[in-house]
Amino acid sequence: MDQNDNIDETKMLRDIEGRLGVFGRERGSLIPILQMIQEKYQYLPKGALEIVGRHLEIPSAEVFGVATFYNQFRFHPPGRHPIKVCLGTACHVRGGDIILENFERKLEIKEGETTPDQEFSIEKVACIGCCALAPVALVGETVHGGMAPSKVEGLVLRIEVEKEMRQRAGKKEQDG
Amino acid sequence: MRVKNPKAVFQEIHDAAAGRRASVEKQAVPTVHLGMATCGIAAGALETKKAFEEAILERGIAAVVHPVGCNGHCYAEPVVVIDHPDSGFSPILYPNVSPGKAKMLVKLFLEEGDPRFEHILGATVENEMIPWVMEFSRFSKETRIVTRLCGQIDPESIDEYILKDGYASLARALEMEPADIRQEIKASGLRGRGGAGFPTGEKWELAAQADGGDKILICNADEGDPGAYMDRTILESNPHQVIEGMAICARAVGAEKGIVYVRAEYPLAVDIVGKAICQARETGLLGDCILGSALHFDIEVFQGSGAFVCGEETALIQSIEGARGMPVYRPPFPVESGLYGLPTVINNVKTLTTVPPIIEKGAEWFRGIGTPGSPGTTVFSVVGEVVHPGLVEISMGVTLRTLIFDICGGIPNQKKFKAVQIGGPSGGCLPEEFLDTPIDFDSLNEAGAMMGSGGMVVMDEDSCVVDVSRYFLDFTQNESCGKCTFCRIGTRHLLDILSRITKGEGSREDLSCLKDLSRAVSEGSLCGLGRTAPNPVMTSLKYFEDEYLAHVDHKKCPGTTCRDLTAFYIDLETCARGCDVCVGCCPVDAIFTTRTRKKGIDQQLCVKCGECKVVCPPEYDAVRRISPAEGVPVVERLDKE
Amino acid sequence: MIFINVDEKKISCEEGRTLLDVCLENGIYIPNLCHVKGMQTPPASCRMCMVAIDGEKKPAMACTTRVRENMTVMTDTPEIRHLQRTALRLLLSVHDIDCKNCSANKHCELQNLSRFLKVGLKAAPYATLLKETAIDRTHPCLDYYPNRCLLCGKCIHVCRQKNGQSVFTFARRGFKTVISTFGFDNPDVFCGECLACVEICPVGALVVRKDAVNSNQKEEDT
């Protein structure tokens, strides 16, 4: 398992290195580069920060300092179904924090964490701009408006059922 | 190189666009205009679009679905306008169009000509048969300059913008001397829409006078207020008006490079602006020799990575330069020495979007709108407890009462108005006495609130001002860059004290500490974020001290919002035997059956999410929420024997 | 040469210099933590060097104020002192006040400031909020104490000055901001020999690890 991870990481870093060529070596490229990596891999692997530092000829500590400043950048891979709970103003007054709490309780992880099976992760976000639908949560890219504690359970259940169905279908295909 | 007449070149572009449109709109077929901005998509516009397209195909009707931006009526998303000339009706606006409704409308209206009156919000043009939307104050009391075309045109089509006389102002500006453009903007009295209200013409003048190499123009769309999204809406619904404003500004100050700084959290806006820039370049409205003139100006998009503080000019520059977005002491101001040390003009999206109409209609016209000190309009996103939330553009000087009660429909559910929080995290919280305050830069400042980002939260009697202040402090302390002592540590202590108060653990000393520290943070902080961060606390302490005292002295939350100070119970008088709705919905199984076969709540297990209160059938309406929590009646369980 | 008036004392100075530099050179002490003499762009982050300038409504920072002819400055008004004491208490509220076991004991800027401002070494009325990590040992030869650090940034400044690039950076944001040497990967900087950062630290946040002096040199040898 560990060995596999290492192979994956080496592959990932080599890929990232290959993608840096199109970016200039000036400091102003730093944030666009980090955004490119995050878009590709959903997070910034530690090794990538060092590669980026070498590309821009700045200490990797500087890269780390910049990356940790901005909300956008993550340092751990998110779950397959990232859940984002909106805590914008409208969602707050309509109980967004209660929705967040229900996800945390249901999935037994805290905000910012990923479930051990890598299925779910929870994040809070500040306003995704559909205030009339408050409170709102995103599962993957799908917006769920008018959230309620009881809807949380349904959403999670649905994803789990879908996964099982996919697995069964996959198995059937293999068998057939 | 021969310099051509911009107006003539523009006329050629206009004619070409008209030609292209004409070939598309050869026959007058019914058109379904569908709002497809982020808010519309969130409300299900994609599914609605699919339903329309499928139904149209299935029935073999000649009709087209025309994606447009957002018209600001968030409460009505997905919004559809159906223009069906053959039916004899004027274009009709339908609110909340679900896929089912879409299929129904295709069959009954597009095919059979019955517009289904029960689903109509209004007609978009005056007519005899259907009430015109302008008869409703949600529409008629708005004054649209910035958002005039939002929700009316396809943001991805430059032709549609050009045919609405878009870029005509740029052609006009190219025939004006740069100094005359600056003079016009100065004469218009336009003030920066980013929040602080600095006179735009003056900023441009400073930039034009500055020497030190190439000048840079940045359009600030790093909208960070957690309840405001008008910049995004403008970029998503009418990006070309922003680009046109930037090009005019470039001409006025002599900039050759423009940057649109937009949050990466707005992927659709990033995408649409990028496309719009390409189209403008291909059409000769950006790049070298714009419209045959001597103006060279091009724009690129920079994606902000999510830091509220980057809305501050110097922090924004730091982040483009690839550094941590920490504000730097000013002076020098960016107009003297900004991005890479070059003179840099930074204007908000709304400011730049206001420029083309001013050049088109003149400073005199603009001054005729709004108040003498704050001419023009302002865009607010009104959320919270109002009937018609959404984006509203009003002329400056309209009162809060008009905005909240006339335009946004007042407070729902017969509740009473308590407060309005204006200007987001740096704004203030105003009570009822201030409802007749005119909305403009100076009146709001005087009242202790501020225009800020244009976020507005309306609170009814069931909201808690302490909780809302805590919410905003939580936001600012999270977004503090951490550079200076007062903001980094001070906001954290403010938050901790407020959290204590909302938990019923606060004391009178905490209140005086809050006041003292708020003042220190606002006086001592380096940048605008820190200096304004205590505003929500200071204003709510000033106008709602009794609510703070109730929390501190009586452990009571008058708005029954703070969870630690409230409790839920079920009124056995109205609870119905045998009804189990609340039991099923409780996420923590806290609801039990009593000896009388009614329901009770186990206070130890209850997490106070309020779901039972929501689902309890209205004919029983048996769930109560009270504060302080100690007053909750004790109910015995049946199964505990 | 121009003249300015500080605390009713007439001082002659060169135009364009910072008020803080001028005052310090003329024996007028203004509390300061993040300022290094001769800095081109002072960070103005500690917010200690507040002064009252005649004709200005709000307190100004001496480190970013340029001297002007005839400017009248007060460094010791009750309001200024109150704000400075608040700033000191805020810094103390995130500081592990354990002077006995601190390497900077008796030459610590916080101790000096508390003496100067005549307040105890206590955060009250503010609660103490310490970070979870007591010591960061990722650097090969320096220990970093987040709960002592004032985040003045002098170590970053001095390292960049001496070595061209800094091995330190600010990392994270807001209340969670720390100094970090993430992935210490600069073979040209011999921290064990330089130690300018340890010297300039106003508190005891950077300490040479006893068992690891010159360790990055050692690494290179092997």
Side-chain angles (χ1 to χ4, degrees):
Chain A
M1 169 93 190
D2 267 342
Q3 212 179 352
N4 265 340
D5 277 2
N6 280 339
I7 292 167
D8 281 354
E9 172 131 357
T10 326
K11 216 175 112 197
M12 188 187 330
L13 294 181
R14 204 173 306 133
D15 175 62
I16 289 170
E17 212 159 2
R19 287 164 191 274
L20 292 184
V22 294
F23 292 92
R25 286 177 186 274
E26 68 278 358
R27 181 70 188 251
S29 305
L30 176 52
I31 290 177
I33 288 175
L34 296 177
Q35 283 169 338
M36 177 276 291
I37 298 171
Q38 165 122 344
E39 189 170 330
K40 182 83 181 95
Y41 290 103
Q42 317 304 319
Y43 78 108
L44 303 177
K46 194 175 170 228
L49 301 183
E50 281 156 19
I51 295 175
V52 174
R54 275 204 297 280
H55 179 78
L56 297 178
E57 290 162 7
I58 54 174
S60 58
E62 293 246 337
V63 181
F64 180 72
V66 171
T68 52
F69 185 86
Y70 296 97
N71 295 340
Q72 190 189 3
F73 301 118
R74 265 191 305 261
F75 300 92
H76 301 284
R80 275 179 280 272
H81 302 280
I83 291 165
K84 292 178 187 158
V85 182
C86 178
L87 289 181
T89 314
C91 289
H92 172 78
V93 292
R94 295 264 163 92
D97 52 337
I98 292 172
I99 304 304
L100 175 65
E101 238 180 66
N102 272 280
F103 273 115
E104 290 178 336
R105 192 178 314 118
K106 178 75 195 152
L107 298 172
E108 295 174 357
I109 49 171
K110 288 279 158 214
E111 178 260 318
E113 296 176 352
T114 306
T115 49
D117 62 358
Q118 306 289 312
E119 277 299 315
F120 296 97
S121 56
I122 308 177
E123 261 177 75
K124 52 181 182 183
V125 290
C127 202
I128 48 178
C130 21
C131 302
L133 305 174
V136 169
L138 280 144
V139 179
E141 299 291 306
T142 319
V143 178
H144 298 272
M147 283 300 293
S150 51
K151 271 196 181 174
V152 168
E153 194 145 341
L155 269 178
V156 173
L157 199 70
R158 193 158 79 201
I159 293 166
E160 280 168 351
V161 168
E162 273 169 13
K163 183 189 164 196
E164 213 178 300
M165 277 165 60
R166 259 202 317 277
Q167 278 173 344
R168 266 189 223 160
K171 213 170 166 199
K172 242 183 216 167
E173 237 167 65
Q174 271 182 355
D175 295 347
Chain B
M1 189 182 151
R2 212 174 71 87
V3 174
K4 287 185 251 172
N5 174 340
K7 273 199 181 147
V9 178
F10 177 70
Q11 194 55 47
E12 282 167 32
I13 290 173
H14 188 277
D15 293 347
R20 279 191 296 272
R21 288 307 299 172
S23 67
V24 178
E25 293 166 349
K26 234 179 268 159
Q27 321 112 310
V29 296
T31 310
V32 178
H33 304 277
L34 175 59
M36 297 281 289
T38 297
C39 41
I41 290 173
L46 285 173
E47 288 78 22
T48 303
K49 181 166 181 267
K50 204 166 142 232
F52 268 117
E53 285 167 346
E54 280 174 5
I56 288 169
L57 197 70
E58 213 171 90
R59 305 194 164 268
I61 310 172
V64 287
V65 178
H66 179 231
V68 294
C70 165
N71 63 0
H73 293 265
C74 300
Y75 60 93
E77 298 278 12
V79 179
V80 168
V81 173
I82 300 184
D83 185 1
H84 188 1
D86 289 345
S87 71
F89 293 101
S90 313
I92 299 170
L93 194 153
Y94 293 92
N96 308 109
V97 182
S98 60
K101 226 190 233 183
K103 288 199 171 132
M104 180 272 290
L105 285 171
V106 171
K107 178 171 181 289
L108 297 179
F109 187 29
L110 292 184
E111 199 170 40
E112 295 167 15
D114 172 6
R116 305 310 295 171
F117 288 100
E118 70 274 27
H119 294 295
I120 290 176
L121 194 120
T124 58
V125 234
E126 196 169 8
N127 67 96
E128 307 245 293
M129 284 182 281
I130 298 167
W132 185 26
V133 288
M134 289 313 249
E135 290 167 28
F136 308 125
S137 50
R138 180 66 170 77
F139 291 78
S140 64
K141 293 199 171 166
E142 281 196 64
T143 309
R144 291 189 164 216
I145 295 176
V146 172
T147 57
R148 59 181 179 163
L149 294 176
C150 291
Q152 297 197 22
I153 57 170
D154 180 354
E156 299 194 20
S157 159
I158 192 170
D159 289 351
E160 292 193 22
Y161 181 65
I162 291 173
L163 291 178
K164 296 270 184 189
D165 281 333
Y167 288 108
S169 299
L170 174 60
R172 195 189 162 109
L174 289 173
E175 295 195 332
M176 291 165 77
E177 285 303 316
D180 295 338
I181 302 175
R182 299 197 297 271
Q183 187 48 43
E184 194 71 20
I185 297 298
K186 265 191 269 177
S188 75
L190 174 65
R191 294 170 70 173
R193 287 337 192 213
F198 189 81
T200 306
E202 243 171 76
K203 196 183 250 184
W204 289 14
E205 195 62 54
L206 288 170
Q209 307 300 334
D211 37 36
D214 303 334
K215 285 166 193 161
I216 293 174
L217 165 63
I218 299 176
C219 169
N220 186 350
D222 189 46
E223 187 170 50
D225 176 342
Y229 47 94
M230 54 286 273
D231 293 355
R232 187 197 67 199
T233 297
I234 294 164
L235 290 175
E236 285 178 356
S237 306
N238 188 8
H240 286 289
Q241 196 170 331
V242 184
I243 294 172
E244 187 182 5
M246 288 180 76
I248 295 171
C249 174
R251 162 87 177 161
V253 304
E256 293 199 349
K257 188 177 169 187
I259 296 172
V260 178
Y261 188 103
V262 53
R263 295 172 67 188
E265 288 101 320
Y266 289 172
L268 189 61
V270 171
D271 188 47
I272 288 181
V273 174
K275 280 185 189 151
I277 291 171
C278 287
Q279 287 175 348
R281 216 177 273 145
E282 284 161 13
T283 319
L285 294 158
L286 283 178
D288 290 340
C289 307
I290 294 175
L291 289 177
S293 75
L295 176 65
H296 307 284
F297 178 64
D298 211 340
I299 303 176
E300 56 184 75
V301 175
F302 185 91
Q303 297 186 41
S305 298
F308 178 60
V309 68
C310 287
E312 205 275 345
E313 295 190 343
T314 56
L316 183 148
I317 288 171
Q318 292 284 318
S319 81
I320 299 179
E321 290 177 355
R324 293 163 58 84
M326 301 205 285
V328 181
Y329 175 77
R330 301 179 302 182
F333 285 91
V335 283
E336 300 153 22
S337 167
L339 186 63
Y340 302 115
L342 302 169
T344 306
V345 182
I346 303 177
N347 278 143
N348 177 267
V349 178
K350 294 173 289 275
T351 316
L352 290 164
T353 315
T354 314
V355 168
I358 295 178
I359 296 299
E360 183 194 336
K361 296 178 185 160
E364 204 51 38
W365 162 80
F366 190 72
R367 286 208 85 102
I369 302 164
T371 64
S374 311
T377 60
T378 177
V379 188
F380 271 102
S381 61
V382 186
V383 301
E385 304 305 325
V386 284
V387 176
H388 295 143
L391 292 185
V392 185
E393 184 173 0
I394 46 168
S395 55
M396 297 267 191
V398 166
T399 64
L400 285 167
R401 192 184 298 280
T402 307
L403 176 56
I404 296 168
F405 288 90
D406 292 349
I407 300 178
C408 292
I411 318 286
N413 308 322
Q414 283 99 45
K415 299 269 183 185
K416 275 207 318 246
F417 172 88
K418 181 189 270 183
V420 55
Q421 213 282 350
I422 308 166
S426 31
C429 194
L430 300 179
E432 208 173 347
E433 304 91 277
F434 285 87
L435 277 178
D436 292 310
T437 308
I439 299 172
D440 61 64
F441 287 106
D442 309 311
S443 307
L444 286 183
N445 276 347
E446 224 169 90
M450 70 186 266
M451 200 69 104
S453 47
M456 182 177 286
V457 197
V458 179
M459 289 179 257
D460 68 6
E461 53 191 309
D462 285 347
S463 322
C464 172
V465 291
V466 186
D467 178 67
V468 170
S469 303
R470 192 200 58 80
Y471 166 76
F472 280 119
L473 244 299
D474 186 30
F475 178 81
T476 29
Q477 89 85 30
N478 227 321
E479 292 294 338
S480 163
C481 80
K483 182 172 179 178
C484 77
T485 307
F486 284 100
C487 182
R488 180 180 71 241
I489 312 173
T491 55
R492 176 56 188 261
H493 282 295
L494 286 176
L495 172 66
D496 283 358
I497 297 170
L498 285 167
S499 299
R500 274 213 297 280
I501 294 173
T502 56
K503 284 190 181 128
E505 295 158 7
S507 64
R508 290 251 176 168
E509 288 75 61
D510 280 335
L511 291 187
S512 55
C513 190
L514 263 187
K515 281 182 200 161
D516 186 57
L517 186 56
S518 293
R519 243 197 69 219
V521 171
S522 82
E523 295 226 319
S525 294
L526 189 152
C527 80
L529 185 144
R531 280 201 296 268
T532 57
N535 280 357
V537 193
M538 292 204 282
T539 50
S540 59
L541 256 175
K542 187 165 155 199
Y543 300 123
F544 295 95
E545 194 170 14
D546 51 335
E547 292 221 2
Y548 280 86
L549 288 173
H551 283 75
V552 166
D553 292 345
H554 306 294
K555 313 295 169 215
K556 178 181 158 95
C557 175
T560 53
T561 299
C562 297
R563 280 199 276 168
D564 292 291
L565 302 183
T566 52
F568 286 85
Y569 71 95
I570 292 170
D571 187 347
L572 295 175
E573 296 287 307
T574 54
C575 179
R577 274 198 189 96
C579 167
D580 274 336
V581 180
C582 54
V583 178
C585 82
C586 179
V588 288
D589 297 328
I591 299 178
F592 57 83
T593 305
T594 66
R595 285 173 193 285
T596 52
R597 302 239 152 254
K598 294 188 173 182
K599 301 290 173 292
I601 297 176
D602 186 328
Q603 299 296 335
Q604 253 70 54
L605 293 178
C606 178
V607 291
K608 300 171 189 175
C609 67
E611 185 74 348
C612 49
K613 191 167 167 36
V614 175
V615 298
C616 184
E619 58 267 40
Y620 310 136
D621 187 25
V623 182
R624 306 271 178 270
R625 183 170 201 180
I626 55 157
S627 178
E630 282 70 47
V632 71
V634 182
V635 181
E636 259 181 272
R637 288 186 88 125
L638 173 67
D639 48 6
K640 268 194 184 164
E641 268 168 24
Chain C
M1 275 297 172
I2 57 168
F3 286 97
I4 63 169
N5 200 315
V6 184
D7 293 341
E8 291 168 3
K9 232 165 86 182
K10 206 173 181 185
I11 295 173
S12 74
C13 53
E14 259 175 81
E15 193 166 2
R17 302 196 57 210
T18 70
L19 183 58
L20 182 61
D21 277 338
V22 170
C23 287
L24 292 177
E25 278 163 27
N26 284 279
I28 298 168
Y29 178 68
I30 298 174
N32 67 86
L33 289 170
C34 65
H35 175 78
V36 179
K37 202 182 161 189
M39 248 182 185
Q40 280 297 316
T41 43
S45 63
C46 75
R47 316 309 280 172
M48 272 293 173
C49 64
M50 280 179 264
V51 292
I53 299 174
D54 229 22
E56 284 180 28
K57 262 193 242 153
K58 292 202 161 172
M61 299 297 145
C63 65
T64 49
T65 304
R66 306 275 158 185
V67 288
R68 292 186 304 267
E69 178 77 88
N70 282 330
M71 130 199 266
T72 304
V73 181
M74 304 288 285
T75 68
D76 191 14
T77 70
E79 202 207 340
I80 293 292
R81 290 295 182 235
H82 179 72
L83 284 170
Q84 285 169 336
R85 284 181 191 124
T86 305
L88 177 63
R89 287 192 184 110
L90 289 176
L91 287 170
L92 286 168
S93 75
V94 293
H95 189 83
D96 184 13
I97 307 170
D98 181 19
C99 299
K100 283 201 304 289
N101 296 309
C102 175
S103 56
N105 193 12
K106 300 221 164 78
H107 48 91
C108 162
E109 272 304 314
L110 286 180
Q111 290 176 339
N112 295 344
L113 277 178
S114 93
R115 213 172 303 125
F116 179 81
L117 293 169
K118 302 188 185 70
V119 285
L121 268 175
K122 276 186 299 211
Y126 308 115
T128 299
L129 302 164
L130 297 183
K131 295 190 174 80
E132 265 174 45
T133 316
I135 309 173
D136 174 354
R137 297 186 195 273
T138 47
H139 187 274
C141 61
L142 296 172
D143 281 346
Y144 169 65
Y145 290 73
N147 288 325
R148 291 181 187 166
C149 180
L150 306 175
L151 297 171
C152 66
K154 279 182 183 172
C155 48
I156 302 177
H157 174 80
V158 76
C159 185
R160 187 169 296 138
Q161 234 178 10
K162 286 197 90 168
N163 305 306
Q165 284 181 333
S166 177
V167 303
F168 300 101
T169 176
F170 287 117
R172 310 179 67 131
R173 191 179 70 202
F175 191 75
K176 295 177 185 146
T177 310
V178 287
I179 298 284
S180 165
T181 58
F182 172 87
F184 180 81
D185 59 356
N186 196 335
D188 304 328
V189 180
F190 300 112
C191 293
E193 289 168 15
C194 169
L195 296 183
C197 53
V198 179
E199 236 160 80
I200 205 165
C201 183
V203 288
L206 288 170
V207 178
V208 181
R209 197 177 307 137
K210 284 202 186 73
D211 55 350
V213 182
N214 288 347
S215 70
N216 57 329
Q217 244 178 333
K218 249 185 249 164
E219 260 169 307
E220 281 204 348
D221 295 342
T222 48

